[in-house]
Amino acid sequence: MPLPVPASAPAPRPRRPRLGARLCYRLGALLVPNRLWRGVGRSLERHPSGYRALHRVEAGVKEAAFGCRDCGQCALPTTGYACPMTCPKELRNGPCGGVRADGGCEVFPEVRCVWLVGYERAAAAGAAAGFAPLLGPLDHRRVGESAWVNYWLERDGSPAPRRGALHAGAPR
Ligand code: SF4
């Protein structure tokens, strides 16, 4: 069950990933849905304790590495592994019009816009071609679920053709 967000919760703050982009693309490629992962996802759904254990690991690793906010529909493979949910406006399809001339966030000027960080990471890793295909709106019913399981079971709003293209521009 998703945790309730208090009305007074502070705005998210853009977070610079702690893992290099090339490593992220390589690790991400290991999680691309296939028969094995679909089987794991279905099995975990039948075993809530296993599901919760995986979700705890996923959320902990991704929070430490990317500032993950547990949206349940992970966009990282298409955003240079910079989490768009750390944008104060939680924009999932590119930066707002308020990015400062020096690349600073409109809300936190001392921090670089997470979308610029993501593009720079994707370009440096040779993966700019796969950067930020259009993402669907966030399905709030999925917030607080395991994004990995939702990815494997194709419940994260990624249309089938895009799923295969997620890593098309990724370094080998
Ligand atoms: S699951 Fe959502 S909040 Fe977490 S890293 Fe991915 S996009 Fe960001």
Side-chain angles (χ1 to χ4, degrees), residues 16-166:
R16 191 175 278 274
R18 294 204 167 127
L19 292 181
R22 278 181 183 274
L23 176 62
C24 290
Y25 280 107
R26 291 207 172 97
L27 294 175
L30 300 176
L31 295 172
V32 169
N34 56 28
R35 236 173 113 183
L36 171 68
W37 286 130
R38 278 189 285 277
V40 170
R42 281 194 286 268
S43 169
L44 287 170
E45 292 215 306
R46 290 193 300 273
H47 299 91
S49 58
Y51 181 101
R52 282 193 299 272
L54 175 95
H55 186 200
R56 265 197 301 275
V57 170
E58 175 192 348
V61 168
K62 284 162 64 176
E63 200 288 322
F66 310 108
C68 173
R69 296 175 60 82
D70 213 16
C71 76
Q73 299 134 86
C74 198
L76 291 177
T78 62
T79 58
Y81 286 85
C83 173
M85 301 305 286
T86 69
C87 161
K89 301 176 187 179
E90 299 185 341
L91 295 181
R92 288 170 68 88
N93 277 306
C96 71
V99 183
R100 292 164 194 266
D102 65 356
C105 168
E106 182 181 25
V107 180
F108 299 103
E110 70 282 10
V111 186
R112 195 159 180 75
C113 167
V114 71
W115 279 99
L116 297 188
V117 170
Y119 181 77
E120 288 158 358
R121 285 167 56 83
F131 181 77
L134 200 61
L135 298 171
L138 190 70
D139 181 346
H140 288 267
R141 293 169 300 182
R142 299 263 172 244
V143 173
E145 294 181 353
S146 164
W148 286 346
V149 171
N150 286 338
Y151 184 37
W152 299 331
L153 299 184
E154 306 193 3
R155 288 190 315 219
D156 61 355
S158 302
R162 188 170 73 73
R163 301 179 74 79
L166 280 178

